[in-house]
Amino acid sequence: MAEATLNIFRGDSTNGKRVDYKVDVTPGMVVLDALHAIQGHQAPDLAVRWNCKAGKCGSCSAEVNGRPRLTCKTRMDSLPLDRPITVSPMKTFPVIKDLVTDVSWNYAVNKKITPFTPKKDTDWKMYQQDIDRVQEFRKCIECFLCQNVCHVLRDHDVKDKFGGPRFFVRAASLEMHPLDVADRVPMIKEELGIGYCNITKCCTEVCPEEIHITDNAIIPLKERVVDEYYDPILRIVRKITGAKKA
Amino acid sequence: MAELHVLQDQTFGATKRRDAWWAEIIPVIIVLGGFGLYATFRAFEGKFYQCWDLGIPYLSPFYSPLIDAQHHWWHWSPALLILGGPLSFRATCYYYRKAYYRAFFLDPPSCAVNDRGHKSYKGETAFPFILQNLHRYAFYLALIFLAFLWYDAVCAFDWNGHFGIGVGTLIMTVNVILLSLYSFSCHSWRHLIGGKLECFSCSAASSARGSGWRFTSMLNERHMLFAWLSLFSVGLTDFYIRMVSAGVITDIKIF
């Protein structure tokens, strides 16, 4: 039976160290299994957040060998065992303990977004062709790996000005909804700060649900912001026709 | 159980990634940088851009449309008058932005690799990168150039009034097809054709635009591929025409 060494961060936001643990690798084992084995036999105080162990709850996000991953979807046999496997908490968020981070900032951002707003006396009939786009965004499991890998948050730490990819996905799911009538474009520009995104696509690369975050959410929202703020011809058309959108 | 001290390394380029993350940006630096140097050289060279003197109907895409070739009022290379158009389309392209922000600005060099982390980061909210928001105007401009390149490609079949095909004809035709695929897989076009609508089923017009959006989305999934292929084809087309025009190689007439 192969043996793996996991090099795990232990500590909190103020103080920490890296500790090596050895585990036997069993068939089908994922990194979360290895963390549970360590928790069960070597370090009962190891803090790990998890729930479903099926890649659907988005709780077990961490950085495995430096890559933002769901630990429950990262198989041990996909990792080289000749060197210790590093497991670290998500860098973008403050560490509560070990691998558990405080992601509450995300919920504060979420509150800025105008919720689904149908028109009065709406006819609730929808056609598939109109909601295909929105359904992709509804796959999001809020693992916040996209938030973690986004360099605007991770390296530049402009959390006061920028909402991050997860909330562009949510905003896009509402903006593109066929029955929604609210205009979120000013909020997307000013409060979520979409202009800070320089579309380097890391969010798309790490998304475990394979949502095309950049191409299908962020860029279409950037284009909507252009419609309203940066396109002089559309501005003239809106003035002439009196339409809110042109 | 060994204990190691943790250093949350904030230095530029630091990462715990084990893979060769830098291998992704090196080809971009080489190819995009190399193309930039070649295109700059050709733009300033001001000669060997057409083969009409040899009775061959080829015009380099770097010089199309050809303006004031006789230097009546413009004393420098005619390419300098027009290259801003195609350049603006590529420079503001959503795919190339990803490529050069990573490869040349290292912002970030790769995913989960520390960038410079400067607090003055403004992204695309301030000059000069706020100009990226004008990509749709660069697209409109690119369509004008595309029309000229299609005209040139059609003219490349006209050998002194007779239908003919040379190797250069094929190269020019493939080039304009790849450029068309690149242009019409553009994210801005995808938005304008129908992406901006919330409802595709609400009217006949929105249904048609919905079909256009779906077709463009299909092309858009390959936008990166078309971006690279068309970059190669433009460079190769110009290089081939330069070689023929300079007499280094002889164009083979196939038909």
Side-chain angles (χ1 to χ4, degrees):
Chain A
M1 189 180 292
E3 188 181 66
T5 302
L6 272 73
N7 177 257
I8 303 173
F9 175 87
R10 301 298 311 271
D12 56 30
S13 282
T14 57
N15 195 19
K17 61 190 177 191
R18 302 202 72 93
V19 183
D20 281 351
Y21 299 95
K22 292 189 185 306
V23 289
D24 291 331
V25 179
T26 54
M29 189 182 220
V30 293
V31 171
L32 184 57
D33 291 326
L35 294 172
H36 282 159
I38 292 163
Q39 207 178 37
H41 301 285
Q42 302 175 59
D45 61 339
L46 174 65
V48 183
R49 184 187 283 133
W50 70 285
N51 269 292
C52 73
K53 209 175 157 293
K56 285 295 162 199
C57 72
S59 303
C60 63
S61 303
E63 297 187 9
V64 180
N65 280 350
R67 298 194 83 119
R69 313 280 291 263
L70 290 180
T71 57
C72 74
K73 282 183 80 175
T74 308
R75 287 177 66 111
M76 291 293 284
D77 60 13
S78 70
L79 303 167
L81 301 181
D82 56 332
R83 291 171 64 188
I85 297 162
T86 63
V87 187
S88 311
M90 289 192 283
K91 184 187 170 190
T92 298
F93 305 109
V95 179
I96 296 173
K97 186 175 185 302
D98 303 337
L99 301 178
V100 178
T101 51
D102 178 4
V103 294
S104 57
W105 169 79
N106 291 289
Y107 305 120
V109 176
N110 194 38
K111 285 182 184 164
K112 293 180 186 172
I113 299 174
T114 311
F116 177 64
T117 313
K119 67 180 175 197
K120 210 176 169 191
D121 304 321
T122 194
D123 174 8
W124 290 100
K125 194 189 287 180
M126 285 181 282
Y127 292 92
Q128 187 62 42
Q129 60 172 311
D130 294 326
I131 56 168
D132 276 339
R133 288 186 292 183
V134 177
Q135 283 182 325
E136 181 192 11
F137 305 138
R138 299 287 293 195
K139 291 195 300 179
C140 177
I141 58 174
E142 293 207 314
C143 61
F144 301 128
L145 288 175
C146 56
Q147 302 285 82
N148 177 46
V149 81
C150 174
H151 77 115
V152 182
L153 298 170
R154 184 185 180 92
D155 297 326
H156 301 290
D157 196 25
V158 286
K159 291 195 181 78
D160 52 334
K161 300 173 191 156
F162 183 64
R166 157 60 192 137
F167 298 103
F168 295 129
V169 167
R170 174 159 153 70
S173 77
L174 294 163
E175 274 297 286
M176 296 178 192
H177 197 291
L179 301 183
D180 182 87
V181 292
D183 179 13
R184 294 173 191 79
V185 172
M187 183 274 300
I188 289 164
K189 178 177 182 282
E190 302 298 340
E191 293 181 60
L192 296 187
I194 197 165
Y196 283 89
C197 169
N198 67 345
I199 48 169
T200 46
K201 282 199 168 184
C202 290
C203 50
T204 304
E205 286 186 21
V206 301
C207 180
E209 287 295 310
E210 297 180 357
I211 301 170
H212 294 88
I213 299 173
T214 319
D215 289 315
N216 290 350
I218 296 177
I219 294 174
L221 290 183
K222 273 184 173 266
E223 287 293 319
R224 286 172 191 235
V225 169
V226 174
D227 281 349
E228 211 148 313
Y229 291 94
Y230 299 108
D231 190 326
I233 293 177
L234 282 186
R235 191 172 285 189
I236 292 166
V237 171
R238 273 198 301 272
K239 279 226 163 138
I240 293 169
T241 62
K244 278 182 79 178
K245 291 182 179 180
Chain B
M1 199 190 323
E3 292 192 356
L4 297 167
H5 284 287
V6 171
L7 290 172
Q8 266 281 20
D9 200 345
Q10 303 288 350
T11 54
F12 173 62
T15 183
K16 285 202 159 41
R17 281 179 62 172
R18 301 268 175 79
D19 57 326
W21 56 265
W22 40 265
E24 197 181 323
I25 59 172
I26 286 175
V28 177
I29 293 170
I30 293 170
V31 176
L32 215 50
F35 181 84
L37 290 174
Y38 175 75
T40 305
F41 161 70
R42 284 292 287 140
F44 281 94
E45 192 179 31
K47 55 186 178 181
F48 305 133
Y49 51 78
Q50 47 83 7
C51 306
W52 303 325
D53 304 338
L54 304 170
I56 300 171
Y58 302 158
L59 174 64
S60 162
F62 286 178
Y63 286 79
S64 179
L66 188 57
I67 300 171
D68 195 30
Q70 308 306 320
H71 300 295
H72 295 303
W73 53 272
W74 180 255
H75 301 294
W76 297 280
S77 165
L80 297 174
L81 288 169
I82 55 128
L83 272 187
L87 176 68
S88 68
F89 184 51
R90 293 212 186 240
T92 58
C93 162
Y94 283 102
Y95 167 69
Y96 282 116
R97 275 144 80 173
K98 174 209 162 186
Y100 67 70
Y101 281 136
R102 283 198 194 186
F104 292 97
F105 293 88
L106 306 173
D107 205 6
S110 191
C111 303
V113 177
N114 285 359
D115 67 22
R116 289 163 292 152
H118 50 98
K119 289 285 177 195
S120 58
Y121 176 79
K122 294 273 191 283
E124 297 181 344
T125 63
F127 186 80
F129 297 118
I130 197 168
L131 296 176
Q132 308 280 29
N133 288 306
L134 297 175
H135 182 51
R136 63 183 57 173
Y137 286 94
F139 169 75
Y140 301 145
L141 208 53
L143 291 187
I144 297 169
F145 282 88
L146 200 56
F148 279 107
L149 292 174
W150 271 107
Y151 176 77
D152 295 338
V154 170
C155 287
F157 289 89
D158 180 4
W159 293 64
N160 298 319
H162 301 286
F163 180 80
I165 298 173
V167 172
T169 314
L170 298 179
I171 291 174
M172 288 174 71
T173 306
V174 169
N175 177 47
V176 77
I177 290 170
L178 288 172
L179 284 169
S180 302
L181 288 169
Y182 171 57
S183 303
F184 286 103
S185 60
C186 163
H187 291 85
S188 282
W189 170 241
R190 184 186 181 217
H191 172 75
L192 295 164
I193 185 76
K196 66 195 295 181
L197 302 176
E198 274 91 54
C199 180
F200 295 137
S201 62
C202 293
S203 67
S206 62
S207 179
R209 289 181 70 181
S211 301
W213 175 80
R214 275 185 288 279
F215 179 71
T216 306
S217 297
M218 190 255 294
L219 293 178
N220 181 259
E221 286 177 23
R222 295 158 186 83
H223 192 52
M224 179 183 80
L225 176 71
F226 297 140
W228 285 118
L229 290 179
S230 62
L231 189 81
F232 281 119
S233 73
V234 168
L236 181 70
T237 306
D238 174 78
F239 182 71
Y240 182 83
I241 291 169
R242 187 190 186 282
M243 291 292 107
V244 173
S245 175
V248 178
I249 58 173
T250 306
D251 183 59
I252 299 167
K253 194 170 180 199
I254 301 165
F255 182 76

